[in-house]
Amino acid sequence: MGKQTINFLEEVCTSFNVQALHLEVEQKNTSAQSFYRRVGFEDHNRYLMTKLLNKQK
């Protein structure tokens, strides 16, 4: 099911001329990382940085 989902997303994105897909995965989730690599995603020497807006207190 995961591979079918990625294939679907790639088809939709390609039809809208999207040039790249990025994803977020927890560092400790090595099984997901392995899956994403198998379907063509690559590791990059970058950090994901986030600024949460409208934080509820």
Short mmCIF file of all heavy atoms in Angstrom, two decimals:
data_model
loop_
_atom_site.label_atom_id
_atom_site.label_comp_id
_atom_site.label_asym_id
_atom_site.label_seq_id
_atom_site.Cartn_x
_atom_site.Cartn_y
_atom_site.Cartn_z
N MET A 1 0.82 -1.19 0.00
CA MET A 1 0.00 0.00 0.00
C MET A 1 0.87 1.27 0.00
O MET A 1 0.53 2.24 -0.66
CB MET A 1 -0.93 -0.02 1.20
CG MET A 1 -1.85 1.18 1.23
SD MET A 1 -3.03 1.09 2.55
CE MET A 1 -4.49 0.93 1.60
N GLY A 2 1.96 1.24 0.73
CA GLY A 2 2.84 2.40 0.78
C GLY A 2 3.43 2.74 -0.58
O GLY A 2 3.48 3.91 -0.98
N LYS A 3 3.87 1.70 -1.29
CA LYS A 3 4.47 1.94 -2.61
C LYS A 3 3.42 2.48 -3.58
O LYS A 3 3.70 3.38 -4.38
CB LYS A 3 5.10 0.66 -3.14
CG LYS A 3 5.92 0.88 -4.38
CD LYS A 3 6.73 -0.34 -4.74
CE LYS A 3 7.60 -0.01 -5.94
NZ LYS A 3 8.47 -1.11 -6.30
N GLN A 4 2.20 1.97 -3.51
CA GLN A 4 1.13 2.46 -4.37
C GLN A 4 0.82 3.93 -4.06
O GLN A 4 0.56 4.72 -4.97
CB GLN A 4 -0.13 1.62 -4.19
CG GLN A 4 0.00 0.23 -4.74
CD GLN A 4 -1.21 -0.63 -4.40
OE1 GLN A 4 -1.86 -0.45 -3.38
NE2 GLN A 4 -1.50 -1.58 -5.28
N THR A 5 0.86 4.28 -2.78
CA THR A 5 0.61 5.67 -2.39
C THR A 5 1.69 6.60 -2.94
O THR A 5 1.38 7.66 -3.49
CB THR A 5 0.54 5.79 -0.86
OG1 THR A 5 -0.50 4.92 -0.38
CG2 THR A 5 0.28 7.22 -0.42
N ILE A 6 2.94 6.20 -2.82
CA ILE A 6 4.05 7.01 -3.35
C ILE A 6 3.90 7.14 -4.86
O ILE A 6 4.06 8.24 -5.42
CB ILE A 6 5.42 6.41 -2.98
CG1 ILE A 6 5.63 6.42 -1.46
CG2 ILE A 6 6.55 7.14 -3.69
CD1 ILE A 6 5.71 7.78 -0.82
N ASN A 7 3.59 6.05 -5.55
CA ASN A 7 3.41 6.11 -7.01
C ASN A 7 2.28 7.07 -7.39
O ASN A 7 2.42 7.85 -8.33
CB ASN A 7 3.12 4.71 -7.58
CG ASN A 7 4.33 3.82 -7.57
OD1 ASN A 7 5.47 4.27 -7.50
ND2 ASN A 7 4.09 2.53 -7.61
N PHE A 8 1.17 7.01 -6.66
CA PHE A 8 0.06 7.92 -6.92
C PHE A 8 0.48 9.37 -6.73
O PHE A 8 0.20 10.24 -7.57
CB PHE A 8 -1.12 7.58 -6.00
CG PHE A 8 -2.24 8.57 -6.08
CD1 PHE A 8 -3.10 8.58 -7.17
CD2 PHE A 8 -2.43 9.50 -5.07
CE1 PHE A 8 -4.14 9.50 -7.24
CE2 PHE A 8 -3.46 10.42 -5.13
CZ PHE A 8 -4.32 10.42 -6.23
N LEU A 9 1.17 9.66 -5.62
CA LEU A 9 1.63 11.02 -5.36
C LEU A 9 2.57 11.51 -6.45
O LEU A 9 2.49 12.66 -6.89
CB LEU A 9 2.33 11.10 -4.00
CG LEU A 9 1.43 10.95 -2.79
CD1 LEU A 9 2.25 10.84 -1.52
CD2 LEU A 9 0.46 12.12 -2.70
N GLU A 10 3.45 10.64 -6.91
CA GLU A 10 4.38 11.02 -7.98
C GLU A 10 3.62 11.37 -9.25
O GLU A 10 3.95 12.35 -9.92
CB GLU A 10 5.38 9.89 -8.24
CG GLU A 10 6.39 9.73 -7.13
CD GLU A 10 7.32 8.55 -7.36
OE1 GLU A 10 7.16 7.80 -8.36
OE2 GLU A 10 8.22 8.37 -6.53
N GLU A 11 2.61 10.58 -9.59
CA GLU A 11 1.82 10.84 -10.80
C GLU A 11 1.08 12.17 -10.69
O GLU A 11 1.08 12.97 -11.64
CB GLU A 11 0.82 9.71 -11.04
CG GLU A 11 1.47 8.42 -11.48
CD GLU A 11 0.48 7.27 -11.58
OE1 GLU A 11 -0.75 7.52 -11.62
OE2 GLU A 11 0.93 6.11 -11.63
N VAL A 12 0.45 12.41 -9.55
CA VAL A 12 -0.29 13.66 -9.36
C VAL A 12 0.66 14.85 -9.41
O VAL A 12 0.40 15.84 -10.09
CB VAL A 12 -1.08 13.64 -8.03
CG1 VAL A 12 -1.65 15.00 -7.71
CG2 VAL A 12 -2.19 12.60 -8.09
N CYS A 13 1.76 14.75 -8.69
CA CYS A 13 2.72 15.85 -8.65
C CYS A 13 3.30 16.13 -10.03
O CYS A 13 3.45 17.28 -10.43
CB CYS A 13 3.82 15.56 -7.64
SG CYS A 13 3.25 15.62 -5.93
N THR A 14 3.62 15.08 -10.77
CA THR A 14 4.16 15.25 -12.12
C THR A 14 3.14 15.97 -13.01
O THR A 14 3.51 16.85 -13.79
CB THR A 14 4.54 13.89 -12.72
OG1 THR A 14 5.53 13.28 -11.88
CG2 THR A 14 5.08 14.03 -14.13
N SER A 15 1.87 15.63 -12.85
CA SER A 15 0.84 16.27 -13.68
C SER A 15 0.71 17.76 -13.37
O SER A 15 0.26 18.53 -14.21
CB SER A 15 -0.51 15.57 -13.51
OG SER A 15 -1.08 15.85 -12.25
N PHE A 16 1.10 18.16 -12.17
CA PHE A 16 1.07 19.58 -11.79
C PHE A 16 2.45 20.23 -11.91
O PHE A 16 2.69 21.32 -11.40
CB PHE A 16 0.55 19.75 -10.36
CG PHE A 16 -0.94 19.56 -10.25
CD1 PHE A 16 -1.46 18.38 -9.76
CD2 PHE A 16 -1.80 20.57 -10.64
CE1 PHE A 16 -2.83 18.20 -9.65
CE2 PHE A 16 -3.18 20.40 -10.54
CZ PHE A 16 -3.70 19.22 -10.04
N ASN A 17 3.37 19.53 -12.56
CA ASN A 17 4.72 20.03 -12.79
C ASN A 17 5.50 20.28 -11.49
O ASN A 17 6.36 21.16 -11.43
CB ASN A 17 4.71 21.28 -13.68
CG ASN A 17 6.04 21.50 -14.36
OD1 ASN A 17 6.75 20.54 -14.67
ND2 ASN A 17 6.39 22.74 -14.58
N VAL A 18 5.18 19.52 -10.46
CA VAL A 18 5.96 19.58 -9.21
C VAL A 18 7.30 18.91 -9.49
O VAL A 18 7.35 17.83 -10.08
CB VAL A 18 5.20 18.87 -8.06
CG1 VAL A 18 6.06 18.78 -6.82
CG2 VAL A 18 3.90 19.59 -7.77
N GLN A 19 8.37 19.55 -9.06
CA GLN A 19 9.71 19.09 -9.41
C GLN A 19 10.34 18.14 -8.39
O GLN A 19 11.28 17.42 -8.72
CB GLN A 19 10.64 20.30 -9.61
CG GLN A 19 10.17 21.24 -10.71
CD GLN A 19 10.17 20.57 -12.07
OE1 GLN A 19 11.15 19.99 -12.49
NE2 GLN A 19 9.03 20.64 -12.76
N ALA A 20 9.86 18.14 -7.15
CA ALA A 20 10.48 17.30 -6.13
C ALA A 20 9.48 17.02 -5.01
O ALA A 20 8.60 17.83 -4.74
CB ALA A 20 11.72 17.98 -5.56
N LEU A 21 9.66 15.89 -4.39
CA LEU A 21 8.91 15.55 -3.18
C LEU A 21 9.87 15.52 -2.01
O LEU A 21 10.97 14.96 -2.13
CB LEU A 21 8.26 14.17 -3.32
CG LEU A 21 7.10 14.02 -4.28
CD1 LEU A 21 6.67 12.55 -4.36
CD2 LEU A 21 5.93 14.87 -3.84
N HIS A 22 9.47 16.09 -0.92
CA HIS A 22 10.25 16.04 0.32
C HIS A 22 9.37 15.37 1.36
O HIS A 22 8.14 15.52 1.34
CB HIS A 22 10.60 17.45 0.80
CG HIS A 22 11.41 18.23 -0.17
ND1 HIS A 22 12.77 18.10 -0.30
CD2 HIS A 22 11.04 19.15 -1.09
CE1 HIS A 22 13.20 18.91 -1.24
NE2 HIS A 22 12.16 19.56 -1.75
N LEU A 23 9.99 14.65 2.27
CA LEU A 23 9.21 14.05 3.34
C LEU A 23 9.95 14.18 4.66
O LEU A 23 11.14 14.46 4.70
CB LEU A 23 8.86 12.60 3.03
CG LEU A 23 10.00 11.60 2.80
CD1 LEU A 23 10.50 11.05 4.12
CD2 LEU A 23 9.51 10.48 1.93
N GLU A 24 9.20 13.97 5.70
CA GLU A 24 9.73 14.06 7.05
C GLU A 24 9.56 12.71 7.73
O GLU A 24 8.50 12.09 7.65
CB GLU A 24 8.94 15.13 7.81
CG GLU A 24 9.36 15.33 9.24
CD GLU A 24 8.54 16.43 9.91
OE1 GLU A 24 7.87 17.21 9.20
OE2 GLU A 24 8.59 16.50 11.14
N VAL A 25 10.62 12.23 8.36
CA VAL A 25 10.58 10.95 9.06
C VAL A 25 11.42 11.07 10.33
O VAL A 25 12.46 11.73 10.32
CB VAL A 25 11.06 9.79 8.15
CG1 VAL A 25 12.49 9.97 7.72
CG2 VAL A 25 10.85 8.44 8.82
N GLU A 26 10.94 10.47 11.41
CA GLU A 26 11.69 10.49 12.66
C GLU A 26 13.03 9.78 12.48
O GLU A 26 13.11 8.75 11.79
CB GLU A 26 10.90 9.80 13.78
CG GLU A 26 9.61 10.49 14.15
CD GLU A 26 9.84 11.76 14.95
OE1 GLU A 26 10.91 11.92 15.56
OE2 GLU A 26 8.93 12.60 14.95
N GLN A 27 14.07 10.29 13.12
CA GLN A 27 15.40 9.69 13.01
C GLN A 27 15.41 8.25 13.49
O GLN A 27 16.11 7.41 12.95
CB GLN A 27 16.43 10.51 13.78
CG GLN A 27 16.74 11.84 13.14
CD GLN A 27 17.76 12.63 13.93
OE1 GLN A 27 18.09 12.30 15.07
NE2 GLN A 27 18.27 13.69 13.33
N LYS A 28 14.62 7.95 14.50
CA LYS A 28 14.62 6.60 15.06
C LYS A 28 13.75 5.63 14.25
O LYS A 28 13.80 4.42 14.49
CB LYS A 28 14.15 6.62 16.51
CG LYS A 28 12.75 7.12 16.70
CD LYS A 28 12.40 7.25 18.16
CE LYS A 28 11.01 7.88 18.30
NZ LYS A 28 10.70 8.18 19.69
N ASN A 29 12.99 6.11 13.28
CA ASN A 29 12.12 5.25 12.48
C ASN A 29 12.90 4.71 11.28
O ASN A 29 12.67 5.08 10.13
CB ASN A 29 10.88 6.01 12.03
CG ASN A 29 9.82 5.10 11.48
OD1 ASN A 29 10.06 3.95 11.16
ND2 ASN A 29 8.62 5.64 11.33
N THR A 30 13.80 3.80 11.56
CA THR A 30 14.69 3.29 10.52
C THR A 30 13.96 2.43 9.49
O THR A 30 14.38 2.37 8.34
CB THR A 30 15.85 2.51 11.14
OG1 THR A 30 15.32 1.47 11.98
CG2 THR A 30 16.75 3.43 11.97
N SER A 31 12.87 1.77 9.89
CA SER A 31 12.14 0.97 8.90
C SER A 31 11.49 1.87 7.85
O SER A 31 11.48 1.54 6.66
CB SER A 31 11.10 0.07 9.58
OG SER A 31 10.14 0.84 10.26
N ALA A 32 10.93 3.01 8.27
CA ALA A 32 10.35 3.95 7.30
C ALA A 32 11.45 4.52 6.41
O ALA A 32 11.26 4.65 5.19
CB ALA A 32 9.61 5.08 8.02
N GLN A 33 12.59 4.86 7.00
CA GLN A 33 13.70 5.39 6.20
C GLN A 33 14.12 4.38 5.14
O GLN A 33 14.37 4.75 3.99
CB GLN A 33 14.89 5.71 7.11
CG GLN A 33 14.64 6.86 8.04
CD GLN A 33 15.77 7.01 9.05
OE1 GLN A 33 16.92 6.73 8.73
NE2 GLN A 33 15.43 7.43 10.24
N SER A 34 14.18 3.12 5.52
CA SER A 34 14.56 2.07 4.58
C SER A 34 13.55 1.96 3.44
O SER A 34 13.92 1.85 2.27
CB SER A 34 14.66 0.74 5.32
OG SER A 34 15.00 -0.29 4.45
N PHE A 35 12.26 2.02 3.78
CA PHE A 35 11.22 1.99 2.75
C PHE A 35 11.36 3.16 1.79
O PHE A 35 11.34 2.99 0.57
CB PHE A 35 9.83 2.00 3.38
CG PHE A 35 8.75 2.29 2.39
CD1 PHE A 35 8.36 1.33 1.47
CD2 PHE A 35 8.14 3.53 2.34
CE1 PHE A 35 7.37 1.60 0.52
CE2 PHE A 35 7.15 3.82 1.42
CZ PHE A 35 6.77 2.85 0.51
N TYR A 36 11.52 4.37 2.33
CA TYR A 36 11.63 5.55 1.47
C TYR A 36 12.84 5.48 0.55
O TYR A 36 12.77 5.88 -0.60
CB TYR A 36 11.66 6.83 2.31
CG TYR A 36 10.35 7.10 3.02
CD1 TYR A 36 10.32 7.42 4.37
CD2 TYR A 36 9.14 7.04 2.34
CE1 TYR A 36 9.12 7.68 5.02
CE2 TYR A 36 7.94 7.29 2.98
CZ TYR A 36 7.93 7.61 4.31
OH TYR A 36 6.75 7.85 4.95
N ARG A 37 13.94 4.94 1.05
CA ARG A 37 15.12 4.77 0.19
C ARG A 37 14.81 3.78 -0.93
O ARG A 37 15.22 3.99 -2.07
CB ARG A 37 16.31 4.29 1.01
CG ARG A 37 16.90 5.37 1.89
CD ARG A 37 18.14 4.86 2.64
NE ARG A 37 18.53 5.80 3.66
CZ ARG A 37 18.33 5.62 4.97
NH1 ARG A 37 17.77 4.50 5.42
NH2 ARG A 37 18.70 6.53 5.84
N ARG A 38 14.10 2.69 -0.61
CA ARG A 38 13.77 1.69 -1.64
C ARG A 38 12.90 2.27 -2.74
O ARG A 38 12.97 1.80 -3.88
CB ARG A 38 13.06 0.49 -1.00
CG ARG A 38 13.99 -0.47 -0.29
CD ARG A 38 13.33 -1.81 0.00
NE ARG A 38 12.02 -1.72 0.64
CZ ARG A 38 11.80 -1.65 1.96
NH1 ARG A 38 12.81 -1.63 2.79
NH2 ARG A 38 10.57 -1.59 2.42
N VAL A 39 12.06 3.25 -2.43
CA VAL A 39 11.19 3.82 -3.46
C VAL A 39 11.80 5.07 -4.10
O VAL A 39 11.13 5.79 -4.82
CB VAL A 39 9.76 4.10 -2.94
CG1 VAL A 39 9.08 2.80 -2.56
CG2 VAL A 39 9.74 5.09 -1.80
N GLY A 40 13.08 5.34 -3.80
CA GLY A 40 13.80 6.37 -4.54
C GLY A 40 14.15 7.65 -3.82
O GLY A 40 14.80 8.51 -4.39
N PHE A 41 13.75 7.79 -2.56
CA PHE A 41 14.14 8.98 -1.82
C PHE A 41 15.59 8.86 -1.40
O PHE A 41 16.10 7.75 -1.18
CB PHE A 41 13.25 9.17 -0.58
CG PHE A 41 11.87 9.66 -0.89
CD1 PHE A 41 10.87 8.78 -1.26
CD2 PHE A 41 11.57 11.01 -0.83
CE1 PHE A 41 9.59 9.22 -1.56
CE2 PHE A 41 10.30 11.47 -1.13
CZ PHE A 41 9.31 10.57 -1.49
N GLU A 42 16.26 9.99 -1.30
CA GLU A 42 17.68 10.02 -0.94
C GLU A 42 17.90 10.87 0.30
O GLU A 42 17.20 11.85 0.52
CB GLU A 42 18.50 10.62 -2.09
CG GLU A 42 18.41 9.85 -3.37
CD GLU A 42 19.16 10.52 -4.52
OE1 GLU A 42 19.79 11.59 -4.29
OE2 GLU A 42 19.11 9.99 -5.63
N ASP A 43 18.89 10.46 1.08
CA ASP A 43 19.30 11.26 2.24
C ASP A 43 20.08 12.47 1.75
O ASP A 43 20.80 12.40 0.75
CB ASP A 43 20.21 10.44 3.17
CG ASP A 43 19.48 9.27 3.78
OD1 ASP A 43 18.50 9.51 4.49
OD2 ASP A 43 19.91 8.12 3.55
N HIS A 44 19.92 13.57 2.48
CA HIS A 44 20.70 14.78 2.19
C HIS A 44 21.27 15.29 3.50
O HIS A 44 20.69 15.09 4.56
CB HIS A 44 19.81 15.86 1.54
CG HIS A 44 19.36 15.47 0.17
ND1 HIS A 44 20.14 15.61 -0.94
CD2 HIS A 44 18.20 14.91 -0.26
CE1 HIS A 44 19.49 15.16 -2.00
NE2 HIS A 44 18.31 14.73 -1.61
N ASN A 45 22.37 15.95 3.40
CA ASN A 45 23.03 16.48 4.59
C ASN A 45 22.37 17.81 4.97
O ASN A 45 22.98 18.87 4.87
CB ASN A 45 24.53 16.65 4.31
CG ASN A 45 25.29 16.91 5.58
OD1 ASN A 45 24.80 16.67 6.67
ND2 ASN A 45 26.49 17.41 5.45
N ARG A 46 21.12 17.74 5.39
CA ARG A 46 20.35 18.92 5.76
C ARG A 46 19.57 18.63 7.03
O ARG A 46 19.33 17.48 7.37
CB ARG A 46 19.39 19.33 4.66
CG ARG A 46 20.06 19.69 3.37
CD ARG A 46 19.04 19.98 2.29
NE ARG A 46 19.67 20.28 1.04
CZ ARG A 46 19.88 21.50 0.59
NH1 ARG A 46 19.50 22.53 1.29
NH2 ARG A 46 20.46 21.69 -0.56
N TYR A 47 19.15 19.68 7.70
CA TYR A 47 18.31 19.56 8.87
C TYR A 47 16.95 20.16 8.58
O TYR A 47 16.85 21.20 7.93
CB TYR A 47 18.91 20.33 10.06
CG TYR A 47 20.20 19.74 10.56
CD1 TYR A 47 21.42 20.30 10.22
CD2 TYR A 47 20.20 18.63 11.38
CE1 TYR A 47 22.61 19.77 10.67
CE2 TYR A 47 21.38 18.08 11.84
CZ TYR A 47 22.57 18.66 11.48
OH TYR A 47 23.74 18.12 11.93
N LEU A 48 15.93 19.52 9.07
CA LEU A 48 14.59 20.08 9.00
C LEU A 48 14.44 21.05 10.16
O LEU A 48 14.73 20.72 11.30
CB LEU A 48 13.54 18.96 9.14
CG LEU A 48 12.11 19.43 9.28
CD1 LEU A 48 11.63 20.08 7.98
CD2 LEU A 48 11.21 18.28 9.67
N MET A 49 14.04 22.26 9.86
CA MET A 49 13.84 23.27 10.89
C MET A 49 12.38 23.73 10.84
O MET A 49 11.83 23.87 9.75
CB MET A 49 14.79 24.44 10.70
CG MET A 49 16.25 24.03 10.80
SD MET A 49 17.39 25.39 10.49
CE MET A 49 17.15 26.34 11.98
N THR A 50 11.78 23.91 11.99
CA THR A 50 10.36 24.26 12.08
C THR A 50 10.16 25.39 13.05
O THR A 50 10.80 25.44 14.11
CB THR A 50 9.55 23.04 12.57
OG1 THR A 50 9.81 21.93 11.73
CG2 THR A 50 8.07 23.33 12.61
N LYS A 51 9.28 26.28 12.71
CA LYS A 51 8.82 27.32 13.62
C LYS A 51 7.31 27.17 13.71
O LYS A 51 6.59 27.36 12.72
CB LYS A 51 9.18 28.72 13.11
CG LYS A 51 8.70 29.81 14.04
CD LYS A 51 9.11 31.18 13.51
CE LYS A 51 8.64 32.26 14.46
NZ LYS A 51 9.01 33.59 13.99
N LEU A 52 6.82 26.78 14.87
CA LEU A 52 5.39 26.63 15.06
C LEU A 52 4.76 27.98 15.28
O LEU A 52 5.26 28.79 16.05
CB LEU A 52 5.11 25.70 16.26
CG LEU A 52 5.65 24.28 16.13
CD1 LEU A 52 5.37 23.51 17.41
CD2 LEU A 52 5.05 23.58 14.92
N LEU A 53 3.68 28.23 14.57
CA LEU A 53 2.95 29.49 14.68
C LEU A 53 1.63 29.24 15.41
O LEU A 53 1.08 28.14 15.35
CB LEU A 53 2.69 30.06 13.30
CG LEU A 53 3.94 30.25 12.44
CD1 LEU A 53 3.54 30.72 11.05
CD2 LEU A 53 4.90 31.22 13.09
N ASN A 54 1.13 30.26 16.05
CA ASN A 54 -0.15 30.17 16.75
C ASN A 54 -0.16 29.03 17.77
O ASN A 54 -1.08 28.25 17.84
CB ASN A 54 -1.30 29.99 15.77
CG ASN A 54 -1.40 31.15 14.81
OD1 ASN A 54 -1.25 32.29 15.20
ND2 ASN A 54 -1.64 30.85 13.55
N LYS A 55 0.93 28.96 18.55
CA LYS A 55 1.02 27.93 19.58
C LYS A 55 -0.05 28.17 20.64
O LYS A 55 -0.26 29.28 21.08
CB LYS A 55 2.39 27.96 20.25
CG LYS A 55 3.53 27.68 19.33
CD LYS A 55 4.82 27.75 20.11
CE LYS A 55 5.91 28.30 19.26
NZ LYS A 55 7.13 28.56 19.99
N GLN A 56 -0.69 27.11 21.05
CA GLN A 56 -1.66 27.21 22.13
C GLN A 56 -0.93 27.03 23.44
O GLN A 56 -0.07 26.17 23.59
CB GLN A 56 -2.75 26.17 21.96
CG GLN A 56 -3.59 26.42 20.73
CD GLN A 56 -4.82 25.54 20.72
OE1 GLN A 56 -5.17 24.93 21.72
NE2 GLN A 56 -5.48 25.49 19.58
N LYS A 57 -1.28 27.85 24.39
CA LYS A 57 -0.59 27.81 25.70
C LYS A 57 -1.36 26.99 26.70
O LYS A 57 -2.49 26.76 26.65
CB LYS A 57 -0.39 29.23 26.22
CG LYS A 57 0.50 30.03 25.31
CD LYS A 57 0.68 31.42 25.82
CE LYS A 57 1.54 32.19 24.83
NZ LYS A 57 1.84 33.51 25.24
#
